[in-house]
Amino acid sequence: MTEAFETACFGIITYVGTARSCFVNAVQCAKQGDFEAAQEQIRQGDEAFTEGHHIHADLLAQDANGELNESGLILMHAEDQLMSAETFRIMAEEFIEVYKKIEK
């Protein structure tokens, strides 16, 4: 496993982990009635998620071009974290809407 490949995988994990934390924080803000802060957390989470997604897309392109001869548990973990963050975002948006309705 090359250092560049490991760095890319850990980059995905780092960015999407940050995104997931932002999405969880968004729900906590909404729970307290601070919907502006909740939307800001979603925005920050989206930015971090996008960075992780770009790294993942680069790896996929390398693989499609036959340039990537590596895979393994670290990549599976990175992809799992990517999907998990995406799910957290969807759920955060749903919870924010519920808290908005409760507040009315």
Side-chain angles (χ1 to χ4, degrees):
M1 186 174 308
T2 67
E3 186 176 328
F5 179 75
E6 281 187 26
T7 300
C9 290
F10 281 116
I12 294 168
I13 293 165
T14 299
Y15 280 118
V16 301
T18 297
R20 189 174 55 223
S21 293
C22 289
F23 300 146
V24 170
N25 288 340
V27 172
Q28 294 302 314
C29 290
K31 186 176 181 180
Q32 295 172 6
D34 191 347
F35 301 109
E36 285 184 34
Q39 286 305 328
E40 176 60 19
Q41 287 294 306
I42 293 288
R43 187 194 65 71
Q44 289 178 17
D46 285 345
E47 285 181 7
F49 184 85
T50 298
E51 292 298 322
H53 189 312
H54 286 311
I55 296 169
H56 186 250
D58 289 343
L59 289 178
L60 290 174
Q62 289 173 29
D63 189 42
N65 292 328
E67 301 167 6
L68 188 65
N69 298 320
E70 304 177 73
S71 64
L73 188 58
I74 190 169
L75 180 58
M76 287 191 307
H77 177 63
E79 291 175 329
D80 179 57
Q81 294 301 302
L82 186 75
M83 291 184 309
S84 172
E86 188 172 22
T87 302
F88 268 80
R89 187 197 190 290
I90 293 165
M91 296 305 299
E93 288 284 353
E94 292 297 320
F95 274 106
I96 290 168
E97 288 305 312
V98 168
Y99 284 123
K100 283 180 180 178
K101 287 180 181 180
I102 290 172
E103 182 134 320
K104 289 181 183 180

